[in-house]
Amino acid sequence: MDRIRITGGRKLNGIIPISGAKNAALPLMIAGLLSEETLILDNVPRLADVAQLQRILGNHGVDIMSAGKRTGDREYQGQTLHIFAADIIDTTAPYELVSRMRASFWVIAPLLARMHEARVSLPGGCAIGTRPVDLLIMALEKLGADIAIDSGYVVAKAAGGLKGAAIDFSKVTVSGTHVAMMAATLAKGTTIITNAACEPEIADVARCLNKMGARVSGAGTPRISIEGVEKLHGARHTVLPDRIEAGTYAMAVAMTGGDVQLAGARPELLQSALDVLTQAGAEISVNDEGIRIARNGAGIRPVKVSTAPFPGFPTDLQAQLMALMIQAEGSSEITETIFENRFMHVQELARFGARISLDGETATIDGIARLRGAPVMATDLRASVSLVIAGLAAEGETMVNRVYHLDRGFERLEEKLSACGASIQRISD
């Protein structure tokens, strides 16, 4: 099993290219099931989750071709996938595939919309709370699906096809919004989704669906309207840049000091995180190439932050911010409002010497001047990269174990950081 070894204490200077967004690429790939024509996706990141979803889609009979390099391609430019779902030969998504990644459960929406049936295992993924699928099932039932749970599988049927409906989510749900939006594209009539998630990835998927012939309006706002169409056609779409990756590297630079250009990053996708970093003492400027972040000389200032749905501070950057705050000059507070159990990185950060106390959903971090490297273990995707950030600033050597979590969401992390001066390398046993 791979590990990552870091020798801390080096500033980061240079350019880090930002990859395509995992949280957009996965639902975009799943949207390929909605059409019998080819969906071409550019700037797809090379991640373990993308490869796993390719296996899941292949099980349904989808052919996926990854195009090779082309003249003029930039370093770290994402791959181009050709997704061809002319014949869906199997509407079952089995446990052994779905259990490894929660987002794969979303195949239930296009399978049900196009084939009028689906049998999908209840999902797995990061162990950061229950994250139930009840809101997803509610949305599909509103659209006219008959749903039963049988031996750990969600069995859905819509004999005459799905029908447009009013779907009002009791709480903001990214997964529920994705599922409802995809399912409604082929439903008869108009669907109105209220209290919809506003994340940029939702709007990106909607843009792609519209290129395929869907009629989606309002994506990126709390009210989405979808006028159902009979069928969707092929299209070509470029995955938007990963705001979580950009925010992660921004926090790494704020932690270590230095000056880094985040090439391709778009500030409007993570403004709340950039605002927090500015409060913490980082210098942030926006230019034609992306976002530049620097911290030279100034100390890290403490902050008080609560996670919130977009455009609030992302839960997917909470662990990274906590790593940054363990060297702040004072006491910080981070409140996690989205997922329970998302403080599992606290005990691992404590191995660097961090002083963190928990009270319910709030963590109080009392900053310390020096961190010491330690052997640590990743517990989930975002927690694992917080350990890397701490290791970059710690004195001595840090060994991050179970880095397969990192490979699910960060493309060539050690290459990108070492190119900016970090002492970081992957060790394969």
Side-chain angles (χ1 to χ4, degrees):
M1 196 175 289
D2 287 4
R3 297 174 291 161
I4 286 179
R5 181 168 59 203
I6 303 165
T7 304
R10 297 190 183 191
K11 291 186 176 183
L12 297 175
N13 290 284
I15 299 172
I16 295 179
I18 300 304
S19 299
K22 171 183 110 106
N23 289 346
L26 298 180
L28 285 166
M29 290 170 67
I30 289 169
L33 286 165
L34 286 164
S35 174
E36 60 187 31
E37 297 180 20
T38 302
L39 174 62
I40 302 172
L41 296 177
D42 294 309
N43 200 34
V44 178
R46 293 171 176 85
L47 301 170
D49 274 9
V50 169
Q52 176 65 6
L53 185 53
Q54 286 182 246
R55 285 188 284 272
I56 291 165
L57 293 175
N59 183 68
H60 295 301
V62 180
D63 291 324
I64 301 179
M65 185 196 80
S66 179
K69 270 188 166 182
R70 296 290 184 271
T71 303
D73 280 359
R74 303 184 310 276
E75 189 183 11
Y76 299 115
Q77 188 168 355
Q79 60 188 327
T80 294
L81 297 183
H82 294 246
I83 299 168
F84 186 51
D87 297 309
I88 295 176
I89 59 167
D90 192 339
T91 55
T92 294
Y95 170 77
E96 57 270 20
L97 293 176
V98 178
S99 62
R100 299 182 191 177
M101 183 176 62
R102 294 193 60 82
S104 56
F105 181 79
W106 302 348
V107 299
I108 193 170
L111 290 174
L112 191 55
R114 187 173 153 200
M115 306 302 291
H116 303 167
E117 64 174 30
R119 183 172 177 268
V120 181
S121 171
L122 288 164
C126 283
I128 52 171
T130 54
R131 298 201 282 181
V133 296
D134 54 343
L135 293 175
L136 287 68
I137 289 172
M138 177 277 289
L140 295 174
E141 286 180 332
K142 290 275 189 184
L143 293 168
D146 292 318
I147 292 181
I149 309 293
D150 180 30
S151 303
Y153 281 77
V154 178
V155 181
K157 290 185 169 66
L162 296 174
K163 296 177 177 61
I167 300 170
D168 181 32
F169 286 116
S170 56
K171 64 179 181 179
V172 175
T173 163
V174 171
S175 56
T177 304
H178 274 308
V179 161
M181 188 169 68
M182 281 193 275
T185 58
L186 296 179
K188 296 183 183 75
T190 301
T191 297
I192 305 293
I193 305 171
T194 49
N195 201 26
C198 300
E199 271 66 9
E201 295 81 12
I202 299 279
D204 199 43
V205 172
R207 280 190 291 272
C208 180
L209 290 171
N210 286 340
K211 289 179 186 177
M212 296 168 72
R215 296 175 183 171
V216 181
S217 59
T221 77
R223 185 182 188 274
I224 302 175
S225 175
I226 305 111
E227 188 182 330
V229 297
E230 198 167 311
K231 65 189 300 186
L232 297 182
H233 51 70
R236 184 163 198 156
H237 183 76
T238 300
V239 180
L240 88 173
D242 196 320
R243 62 194 171 100
I244 303 304
E245 186 193 29
T248 297
Y249 288 126
M251 288 186 196
V253 178
M255 184 74 165
T256 62
D259 190 332
V260 169
Q261 174 77 34
L262 302 174
R266 284 170 38 190
E268 72 275 14
L269 303 182
L270 69 156
Q271 193 57 55
S272 61
L274 298 179
D275 291 345
V276 168
L277 283 167
T278 301
Q279 291 172 34
E283 299 168 39
I284 292 168
S285 56
V286 177
N287 51 48
D288 291 343
E289 306 300 316
I291 300 170
R292 183 177 168 190
I293 178 156
R295 186 176 68 83
N296 291 303
I300 300 169
R301 295 196 291 266
V303 298
K304 188 172 182 179
V305 170
S306 290
T307 61
F310 189 85
F313 188 89
T315 179
D316 280 354
L317 287 174
Q318 177 257 108
Q320 297 91 311
L321 179 64
M322 188 178 294
L324 175 61
M325 287 301 106
I326 60 181
Q327 277 203 296
E329 297 169 344
S331 182
S332 303
E333 276 187 17
I334 301 175
T335 301
E336 174 57 64
T337 68
I338 309 294
F339 293 128
E340 71 272 31
N341 296 355
R342 209 168 200 181
F343 282 144
M344 291 191 291
H345 45 282
V346 168
Q347 59 192 23
E348 294 301 303
L349 288 173
R351 296 172 64 80
F352 293 97
R355 293 186 297 185
I356 305 169
S357 57
L358 297 179
D359 181 12
E361 57 189 22
T362 298
T364 301
I365 307 103
D366 294 315
I368 58 174
R370 297 166 66 188
L371 306 180
R372 288 189 167 80
V376 290
M377 186 173 293
T379 54
D380 63 66
L381 171 54
R382 307 307 174 186
S384 59
V385 82
S386 75
L387 305 179
V388 171
I389 290 172
L392 291 170
E395 297 174 3
E397 184 177 287
T398 294
M399 188 73 76
V400 183
N401 296 287
R402 285 176 38 180
V403 298
Y404 60 84
H405 286 294
L406 273 173
D407 296 335
R408 291 185 48 228
F410 290 93
E411 182 177 16
R412 301 177 184 173
L413 172 121
E414 58 273 22
E415 287 180 41
K416 292 184 181 186
L417 287 171
S418 60
C420 289
S423 176
I424 178 171
Q425 62 186 136
R426 179 176 293 251
I427 299 169
S428 298
D429 292 336

